[in-house]
Amino acid sequence: MAEMNEPVDVLIIGGGASGAAVAWSLAETKMHIVCLEQGDWIKNEGFPSTGRDWEARQFGDFAISPNRRKLEADYPINEDNSPIKVANFNGVGGGTILYAGHFPRFHPSDFKVKTLDDVADDWPIDYATLEPFFELNDKMTGVAALAGDPAYPSKPAVMPPLPMGRSCEVIGEAMNKLGWHWWPSDAAINTQEYEGRAPCINLGHCGSGCAQGAKATTDGTYWPEAIRARVELRHRCRVRRIETNEDDMATGAYYVDPDGVERFQPAEIVIVACNGVGTPRLLLNSASERFPDGLCNSSRMVGKNLMFHPYSQVRGHVDEKLEGYKGPRIGTWSMEFYETDPKRGFKRGYCYQFSRGYGPVATAVNGMADGIIPWGAGHHEAFGRMFDHSLGMLAICEDLPEEINRVTIDPHLTDSDGIPAPRITYRLSENSKRMLDHSVARGKEILQAAGARDITHKTIFPGAGWHLMGTARMGTDPKTSVVNEWGRSHDVRNLFIVDGSVFVTSGGVNPTSTIQAIALYVADQIKNRIYELFD
Amino acid sequence: MSDLTPNTSEYFSAVKREVMRLVAGAIIPADPARDMPGADDPAILDDILASAGRDADDLARALDILGAEGAQITDASLARFRDDHPALAGVLSLVIAQCYYRDDRVLVAIGMEPRAPFPKGYEVAQGDWSLLDPVRARGPIYRDVPQEGTDT
């Protein structure tokens, strides 16, 4: 029998990128808001870059794979039937704790892919709808950027861009030779003191957490503001299921508190913000007599249309020293191949995220795996030619939705609280394969133009399942979508979803900026429609 | 959150430790000309064995295979091991490199300061922003679409 908590107005499940944004936005209503987050607060002084084992820990307790990390907050994921493995972080701040801070917005065309390219579906909202929320989110986050990027409609920069350093210059010179677009990346990394957060000091290890606190993670941006506005964030509380009543309304959620006590949190409004895998897992685990196929699933779309971004990687080495292990991993991007060009043999496109060099451990490990740094004699000479001479790119390819790619509940696997775990079934489409091949071929041309040698590539980068989208899609038709055009479930009128699950298509850029803009937009809709919210 | 990687210094038998010493020295040998120790240096070896963490079981399996009765650690046996057991070979590379390349002597030899990145950080040059002039000159490349917006 679960312990019964005092009722609240709003229950948010998940304290990551979207949960934090929606909590902050709703705080001004003065409603009683509680957020349940399964993970812990992560202190800056605990991040790997504070210690001499700073590189090793990216393969250990700060590994991007929950199946390797296996911390108390993590739930296992059966991903045997997927060439792309999930990367995430479970804690206050969610995936922002480990993301690189690459912060592009979706492009206007991303919302109109059916109209423009006759693939997938158009979104029920568009760039203009989200534009004010992109701008608000940029301010809350503190986005470093250079205004005037020709790949986007005009947008303001909150603070100056990240320094280029020699790595970005070399890539920029190569792109100029080829006549291709490149630009300083929009980055969720402070280049100056901003809202009490310190500027970047180029620790070079953003992907394992920022000890300086310069990278914008929601535990340092939205959450302090939301908590000051009296939102209650309960960490180490893992939700088991959402409950409903005879009116098909959500009544709250069962969860396990830090002491292992089963509790029920009653709420008038439930907002799910658990990411593109965690959200369908929770909805499917909330099946009941009234909702035998899972909550919000009359369309049978919950869990379907899972989209990752298939990543390729191309890296090379130049003779000059680049000092690439210093500075944020990200620096510049290219949108040259972002929009559909029929001559390329695939629909939609991709962006390049150019990256600086690796530290010595990653240089050695990757070099030995790629066969360019040998075991035994010759190791040191080869290492010397690679370390601090490395540069390259990731291509982030748009992944089109297909129902065959999906999240279901594994019949055997559970987390440490006995809650059934998710199972991923995913395969690359032919369109994605052609796009990946194109990105590798163009990437090699870029590195050759840069004078690089020892060029290596991965046509599919298996560990790069950072972006989890599409599994509770947004749409106006309840037969083909899970939530409506303002994030409310078609089936359960007081349940909202605000994470990447609601994406109709994936775009070809990192999604956090768009996820948070949608969360702010949905919060705005809740506030504006408060008197007709459940109609 | 402090480092939650389990210490595995007591995990490996004396036999496995000896095989590890031979393997580590063969994969990353000493290079006196560069003033670099081998990965079989006692301090580095201790670190490797204590820091195997999540890879301790796989490392033990690799050492069992490499240390099988009568087997010698040679370039040929290592090459054969890499062909036959690529995943375990990856584990060997990782557990050795993650300790070797944090040793003070090694870091100094490769031109790095032997310290954690935080709190001192590093300097990165701004770079030549005029490199963007040709990009600006080519003008917008995004695909314009009709925008309706949605009443909010």
Side-chain angles (χ1 to χ4, degrees):
Chain A
M1 192 69 178
E3 299 283 330
M4 185 68 73
N5 291 350
E6 289 297 313
V8 298
D9 298 313
V10 180
L11 170 62
I12 299 169
I13 305 172
S18 60
V22 79
W24 169 80
S25 180
L26 290 177
E28 69 172 337
T29 64
K30 309 298 182 193
M31 290 191 287
H32 187 180
I33 301 170
V34 164
C35 175
L36 300 176
E37 162 55 47
Q38 66 189 326
D40 217 331
W41 287 92
I42 312 297
K43 295 190 173 86
N44 287 354
E45 58 267 32
F47 285 128
S49 59
T50 58
R52 293 295 301 279
D53 54 356
W54 55 281
E55 278 199 276
R57 288 179 68 193
Q58 71 183 303
F59 305 108
D61 55 341
F62 279 88
I64 57 176
S65 165
N67 287 345
R68 178 166 174 88
R69 214 169 43 231
K70 292 181 178 169
L71 299 180
E72 202 175 339
D74 293 316
Y75 55 89
I77 301 173
N78 180 342
E79 47 197 8
D80 293 345
N81 290 319
S82 174
I84 300 176
K85 311 303 180 187
V86 170
N88 69 12
F89 191 78
N90 296 305
V92 178
T96 65
I97 297 294
L98 296 192
Y99 75 163
H102 210 238
F103 217 67
R105 302 176 179 186
F106 269 29
H107 294 67
S109 70
D110 290 323
F111 300 90
K112 300 284 182 191
V113 299
K114 180 71 174 174
T115 300
L116 294 173
D117 296 319
D118 197 26
V119 292
D121 288 303
D122 288 347
W123 290 53
I125 56 176
D126 59 16
Y127 186 88
T129 306
L130 291 183
E131 193 166 22
F133 303 101
F134 278 129
E135 194 165 332
L136 174 59
N137 189 50
D138 282 1
K139 284 181 185 159
M140 285 299 295
T141 300
V143 174
L146 182 65
D149 186 346
Y152 278 97
S154 176
K155 54 186 174 60
V158 177
M159 65 183 84
L162 295 171
M164 283 204 283
R166 187 59 190 141
S167 301
C168 298
E169 280 185 334
V170 170
I171 288 287
E173 288 161 358
M175 296 298 276
N176 285 349
K177 277 186 204 169
L178 295 164
W180 290 348
H181 170 268
W182 66 285
W183 199 258
S185 300
D186 291 1
I189 299 173
N190 284 351
T191 53
Q192 59 192 31
E193 188 168 322
Y194 185 75
E195 298 294 338
R197 291 189 294 113
C200 176
I201 53 172
N202 304 304
L203 301 175
H205 213 47
C206 320
S208 297
C210 180
Q212 172 77 347
K215 187 177 76 171
T217 54
T218 58
D219 59 328
T221 55
Y222 282 106
W223 273 122
E225 296 288 328
I227 290 168
R228 264 194 288 276
R230 304 175 72 94
V231 174
E232 184 185 351
L233 173 58
R234 297 182 196 149
H235 60 286
R236 296 176 59 210
C237 291
R238 177 177 272 148
V239 174
R240 183 182 298 279
R241 55 179 282 117
I242 297 168
E243 194 54 88
T244 54
N245 64 16
E246 60 277 9
D247 297 322
D248 292 348
M249 299 286 274
T251 55
Y254 289 97
Y255 71 99
V256 183
D257 78 6
D259 298 320
V261 176
E262 191 93 10
R263 293 185 172 277
F264 183 72
Q265 178 58 63
E268 297 295 322
I269 296 172
V270 174
I271 300 176
V272 182
C274 304
N275 80 41
V277 170
T279 288
R281 176 200 185 201
L282 176 59
L283 295 177
L284 294 172
N285 275 336
S286 300
S288 63
E289 281 186 18
R290 275 187 294 277
F291 298 98
D293 297 317
L295 204 55
C296 312
N297 199 20
S298 64
S299 65
R300 306 281 181 104
M301 286 294 147
V302 171
K304 291 181 179 172
N305 300 299
L306 171 67
M307 295 173 283
F308 292 112
H309 284 128
Y311 273 61
S312 68
Q313 183 190 51
V314 189
R315 295 201 65 83
H317 303 79
V318 295
D319 289 338
E320 67 176 297
K321 279 191 174 286
L322 299 172
E323 298 197 316
Y325 63 88
K326 303 173 181 176
R329 294 285 300 146
I330 62 172
T332 52
W333 65 33
S334 173
M335 303 292 173
E336 181 69 25
F337 305 107
Y338 197 82
E339 305 290 358
T340 298
D341 180 343
K343 293 196 292 290
R344 295 179 194 144
F346 55 84
K347 297 286 182 77
R348 305 301 298 156
Y350 59 89
C351 77
Y352 282 125
Q353 174 181 317
F354 296 115
S355 48
R356 304 172 206 254
Y358 295 125
V361 173
T363 298
V365 171
N366 292 329
M368 289 190 275
D370 292 337
I372 55 174
I373 298 179
W375 282 7
H379 177 93
H380 295 294
E381 185 183 346
F383 178 88
R385 285 190 289 113
M386 307 301 165
F387 175 62
D388 216 6
H389 298 279
S390 162
L391 74 179
M393 69 207 72
L394 295 164
I396 303 172
C397 296
E398 175 154 355
D399 196 5
L400 294 172
E402 295 183 279
E403 291 187 24
I404 194 172
N405 294 331
R406 61 197 185 276
V407 177
T408 53
I409 299 299
D410 189 276
H412 308 295
L413 198 61
T414 61
D415 63 26
S416 56
D417 292 307
I419 303 172
R423 176 173 61 186
I424 307 291
T425 305
Y426 178 90
R427 58 139 172 79
L428 285 170
S429 69
E430 289 304 314
N431 195 67
S432 291
K433 289 177 186 171
R434 288 194 289 271
M435 200 182 305
L436 287 162
D437 288 340
H438 187 274
S439 70
V440 169
R442 300 293 85 73
K444 288 179 178 175
E445 288 175 31
I446 293 167
L447 291 181
Q448 284 159 357
R453 51 171 166 75
D454 296 302
I455 295 173
T456 62
H457 75 275
K458 292 182 177 67
T459 304
I460 180 72
F461 192 30
W466 282 289
H467 306 153
L468 313 170
M469 300 163 285
T471 49
R473 67 203 307 247
M474 173 184 277
T476 53
D477 184 352
K479 293 190 183 67
T480 58
S481 58
V482 177
V483 297
N484 70 9
E485 67 274 25
W486 39 281
R488 193 187 76 178
S489 164
H490 291 300
D491 299 347
V492 181
R493 287 166 294 128
N494 63 340
L495 190 151
F496 295 79
I497 304 175
V498 294
D499 58 55
S501 307
V502 305
F503 280 30
V504 179
T505 56
S506 72
V509 292
N510 316 57
T512 304
S513 169
T514 305
I515 288 171
Q516 291 184 305
I518 288 172
L520 294 173
Y521 158 71
V522 171
D524 193 64
Q525 293 287 303
I526 291 172
K527 288 182 281 191
N528 287 335
R529 296 172 185 266
I530 196 73
Y531 297 111
E532 51 178 20
L533 199 57
F534 307 143
D535 291 349
Chain B
M1 188 167 69
S2 58
D3 185 359
L4 298 175
T5 303
N7 185 303
T8 51
S9 56
E10 303 299 320
Y11 184 84
F12 299 98
S13 66
V15 172
K16 286 192 176 71
R17 296 176 76 88
E18 176 59 10
V19 176
M20 186 74 239
R21 187 183 69 79
L22 295 170
V23 170
I27 290 178
I28 306 185
D31 186 343
R34 290 182 169 85
D35 216 11
M36 297 174 83
D40 56 351
D41 172 89
I44 296 172
L45 184 65
D46 283 349
D47 192 13
I48 292 169
L49 291 164
S51 306
R54 289 160 176 78
D55 296 305
D57 290 342
D58 284 340
L59 178 59
R61 280 210 301 138
L63 297 177
D64 281 342
I65 294 167
L66 284 162
E69 192 177 354
Q72 299 292 311
I73 305 300
T74 63
D75 288 349
S77 67
L78 285 174
R80 197 164 51 246
F81 178 81
R82 290 185 88 167
D83 289 343
D84 293 346
H85 306 283
L88 291 180
V91 169
L92 275 180
S93 293
L94 173 62
V95 298
I96 293 170
Q98 72 183 4
C99 295
Y100 183 78
Y101 286 104
R102 67 184 181 210
D103 181 87
D104 282 5
R105 296 161 292 174
V106 174
L107 291 178
V108 169
I110 65 174
M112 287 186 78
E113 296 173 68
R115 64 172 173 87
F118 186 84
K120 188 176 172 187
Y122 300 101
E123 292 293 324
V124 174
Q126 280 295 313
D128 179 3
W129 295 103
S130 72
L131 286 170
L132 288 164
D133 291 347
V135 185
R136 285 192 186 89
R138 283 194 294 275
I141 64 165
Y142 68 90
R143 199 170 175 185
D144 214 356
V145 297
Q147 302 290 336
E148 299 91 16
T150 298
D151 292 339
T152 54

